[in-house]
């Protein structure tokens, strides 16, 4: 659900999705499944922190989530209203919310608000470096590279990001499993091992 994606985008900072899921389950148990953004916004920061405890850094994340929820409140939590805002303006506004960085903003835009923006994460950086020997560190540099290579197609961007994450988790882990990797014949890093 887009509402859960929005909450998850904040909770996933510095933790894994399993812990985020447990935190979201706590929220759903306490607040029900409907109108969860509005109900979460009405909670005190302390209560919110208690519910999202499994996600770690819960006091900080509760503050960040409250800030994001306050932003959404200005749109009456109406995601369709948010979707009607031009992408660049919406991204700029999201980035002005305290605690919302570029990866968080772009995850919300791509997965909850149907905006074709490319999400850059540590997996993307790792794969670019190993597969193509492209060593870009700047978030926007990498985002612009992908967005200049691919047309702004929502389904394509969602699938591409999903595949990068899956590949990096399955094969291109910290100590890469090149022997099992289907991309090894086309990979710069693997070619250097021969
Ligand atoms: S061959 Fe190795 S380094 Fe290259 S993408 Fe696959 S796992 Fe990563």
């Amino acid at each position: 659900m887009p509402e859960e994606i929005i909450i998850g985008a904040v909770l996933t900072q510095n933790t894994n999705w399993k812990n985020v899921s447990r935190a979201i389950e706590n929220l759903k148990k306490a607040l029900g499944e409907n109108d969860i953004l509005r109900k979460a916004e009405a909670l005190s920061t302390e209560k919110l922190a208690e519910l999202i405890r499994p996600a770690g850094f819960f006091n900080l994340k509760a503050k960040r989530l409250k800030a994001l929820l306050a932003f959404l409140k200005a749109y009456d939590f109406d995601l369709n209203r948010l979707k009607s805002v031009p992408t660049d303006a919406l991204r700029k506004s999201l980035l002005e919310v305290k605690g919302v960085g570029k990866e968080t903003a772009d995850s919300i835009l791509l997965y909850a608000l149907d905006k074709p923006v490319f999400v850059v994460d540590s997996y993307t950086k790792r794969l670019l470096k190993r597969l193509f020997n492209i060593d870009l560190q700047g978030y926007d540099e990498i985002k612009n590279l992908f967005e200049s290579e691919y047309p702004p197609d929502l389904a394509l961007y969602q699938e591409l990001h999903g595949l990068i994450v899956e590949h990096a988790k399955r094969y291109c882990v910290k100590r890469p499993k090149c022997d099992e990797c289907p991309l090894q014949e086309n990979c710069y890093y693997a070619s250097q091992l021969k």
Side-chain angles (χ1 to χ4, degrees):
M1 281 172 66
E3 291 80 3
E4 291 177 27
I5 291 168
I6 290 172
I7 293 171
V10 172
L11 298 190
T12 199
Q13 295 165 351
N14 300 309
T15 193
N16 60 44
W17 193 256
K18 202 171 150 198
N19 294 334
V20 173
S21 293
R22 286 170 54 213
I24 291 177
E25 279 312 307
N26 279 355
L27 284 171
K28 283 175 18 186
K29 259 186 228 154
L31 304 174
E33 306 229 348
N34 297 325
D35 226 0
I36 196 164
L37 297 175
R38 189 185 303 276
K39 291 176 189 165
E41 194 278 333
L43 294 175
S44 66
T45 308
E46 292 71 24
K47 181 65 186 169
L48 194 55
E50 192 186 311
L51 290 170
I52 64 167
R53 180 179 278 265
F57 303 101
F58 47 91
N59 286 322
L60 177 64
K61 288 181 182 178
K63 282 186 200 148
R64 289 180 174 177
L65 196 48
K66 284 288 274 187
L68 178 59
L69 292 167
F71 168 77
L72 298 175
K73 191 179 183 182
Y75 290 84
D76 197 27
F77 304 99
D78 182 345
L79 301 191
N80 286 325
R81 262 182 73 192
L82 278 154
K83 287 178 192 179
S84 70
V85 178
T87 306
D88 287 349
L90 188 53
R91 186 173 193 264
K92 191 167 176 283
S93 305
L94 274 170
L95 289 173
E96 283 166 6
V97 176
K98 202 164 181 218
V100 173
K102 291 175 180 176
E103 185 182 335
T104 303
D106 289 337
S107 298
I108 293 170
L109 290 168
L110 180 66
Y111 290 111
L113 299 176
D114 299 344
K115 299 288 191 183
V117 296
F118 191 81
V119 179
V120 178
D121 51 26
S122 53
Y123 300 123
T124 320
K125 286 183 189 168
R126 186 197 295 164
L127 212 57
L128 265 184
K129 171 83 180 103
R130 289 185 179 162
L131 198 51
F132 303 115
N133 194 27
I134 296 176
D135 194 7
L136 295 178
Q137 291 304 317
Y139 188 100
D140 290 329
E141 266 182 303
I142 299 173
K143 181 173 182 286
N144 292 341
L145 174 69
F146 277 91
E147 291 182 357
S148 62
E149 288 291 327
Y150 295 99
D153 178 314
L154 179 67
L156 174 69
Y157 279 26
Q158 288 180 343
E159 185 174 12
L160 190 55
H161 179 248
L163 288 172
I164 289 171
V165 172
E166 187 58 30
H167 185 80
K169 283 184 174 174
R170 200 181 290 189
Y171 302 104
C172 211
V173 286
K174 212 168 178 185
R175 293 180 65 183
K177 300 175 184 171
C178 301
D179 288 344
E180 302 166 29
C181 177
L183 301 181
Q184 67 167 294
E185 291 305 320
N186 305 96
C187 176
Y188 172 81
Y189 180 94
S191 74
Q192 300 303 298
L193 300 176
K194 289 173 185 165

